[in-house]
Amino acid sequence: MRPNGASALLSAFQGLRISACTPLRQLRAPVQRPSKVLGAAAQLLQNGRAFSTSPAMMGTWLEPSLNRKKKMAKGRPRVATGGSTKGTTVIWGDYGLRMVDHHRRISAKSLKMAEDTIKVRLRGEKYRLYKRKCCNVGVYVSGNEMRMGKGKGSFDHWATRMAVSQVLFEIKGRIHEQIVRDAFRLAGNKLPGQWEFVKKGDPPVVGITKLDGVTLEDLKRPRKHLAPQELVEAAATKAAAEAGSPSAPSASS
């Protein structure tokens, strides 16, 4: 007689036995500890969030990913009143283009024209162009013949604040110096203001004063060095003696 499904299932359950499981075998190979780099990466992943609630600050050096609707103040370029020389020397490249006349605000259109001029002049050469400034200031303008008030105006273009004696472009590569000079000369003609050609190793600039033979401590002194009192008295006595003595007669011809 063929057993039915219920009896077969009951016999299968009756055949089950509960026994203690065998202990796991211990690993003979030593456990490898993660390296310092992997440990640091794991720590960053553990502390970091899986998502971000803030927008990514991406973009190019001419157009950042900033909110155009958020109005920005016009502002003024940074003036190094404490003797700072930041941004006045060539760091990454061999040659640079530096402003010499006055601080101003340069638009992204002018910077793009200068960059294209350099690329056209150095076409076929092996070089690398470094941009030391980026456009992060929005310019807002109103229409012509508008009355006062009614807000700041609508967005017009991006710009950057360029301080005096700061380096804008740097070039590094196997290029002759005269070719780079010519490229920077053409780029300076496309930019507002006056520019100069600098090389790596040139002295830094504080304001408009180059530290060539002049130390920063000399510029920070409130007064100039005065001559010793003995020399001042001796010079005054000598001047009085020369003024009191009669003049020598002129030789007759």
Side-chain angles (χ1 to χ4, degrees):
M1 181 176 180
R2 187 176 182 181
N4 55 6
S7 60
L9 184 61
L10 180 60
S11 61
F13 274 107
Q14 290 178 356
L16 295 178
R17 296 292 184 269
I18 299 176
S19 61
C21 60
T22 58
L24 297 177
R25 297 180 180 178
Q26 297 182 358
L27 297 176
R28 295 183 179 180
V31 179
Q32 297 181 357
R33 297 182 179 180
S35 60
K36 295 182 179 180
V37 179
L38 296 178
Q43 187 70 15
L44 291 176
L45 292 176
Q46 182 179 1
N47 298 336
R49 296 182 298 174
F51 63 95
S52 178
T53 57
S54 59
M57 300 299 295
M58 300 179 62
T60 62
W61 73 292
L62 296 175
E63 186 175 359
S65 297
L66 299 177
N67 187 10
R68 297 185 177 184
K69 296 182 179 180
K70 184 178 180 181
K71 305 302 176 65
M72 303 179 184
K74 180 182 293 185
R76 293 292 184 272
R78 181 186 62 88
V79 179
T81 58
S84 175
T85 60
K86 181 180 179 181
T88 61
T89 57
V90 179
I91 298 179
W92 298 303
D94 299 328
Y95 310 101
L97 184 65
R98 183 167 61 187
M99 177 181 285
V100 294
D101 58 344
H102 197 271
H103 63 268
R104 56 176 46 85
R105 190 173 60 186
I106 304 178
S107 63
K109 183 178 180 180
S110 300
L111 295 177
K112 180 62 177 176
M113 291 176 60
E115 182 188 14
D116 294 343
T117 303
I118 294 175
K119 290 182 178 180
V120 169
R121 179 61 182 85
L122 301 181
R123 181 177 298 171
E125 303 288 346
K126 294 183 179 180
Y127 68 95
R128 184 172 182 179
L129 181 64
Y130 297 92
K131 279 84 71 173
R132 297 286 299 271
K133 303 290 290 185
C134 62
C135 295
N136 56 356
V137 180
V139 180
Y140 300 83
V141 296
S142 301
N144 296 331
E145 299 181 1
M146 295 290 294
R147 293 187 177 183
M148 297 179 62
K150 305 298 182 182
K152 187 178 179 65
S154 59
F155 177 83
D156 187 69
H157 62 274
W158 292 105
T160 182
R161 299 188 184 103
M162 192 73 188
V164 64
S165 302
Q166 281 192 346
V167 177
L168 179 60
F169 291 116
E170 293 185 13
I171 284 183
K172 182 178 182 180
R174 296 182 178 180
I175 314 177
H176 197 273
E177 180 181 343
Q178 295 299 329
I179 300 178
V180 181
R181 282 180 179 270
D182 189 40
F184 280 159
R185 178 186 61 83
L186 297 175
N189 295 336
K190 302 293 183 180
L191 295 170
Q194 298 179 2
W195 304 80
E196 67 174 351
F197 178 82
V198 292
K199 296 187 293 184
K200 192 169 187 177
D202 288 354
V205 182
V206 177
I208 58 175
T209 305
K210 295 183 180 180
L211 298 182
D212 190 5
V214 181
T215 61
L216 188 59
E217 287 73 14
D218 295 339
L219 295 178
K220 288 184 177 180
R221 288 191 182 120
R223 298 178 182 178
K224 296 182 179 180
H225 286 289
L226 298 178
Q229 189 66 22
E230 295 80 5
L231 296 180
V232 174
E233 294 178 356
T237 305
K238 184 178 180 180
E242 291 179 355
S245 61
S247 59
S250 58
S252 59
S253 57

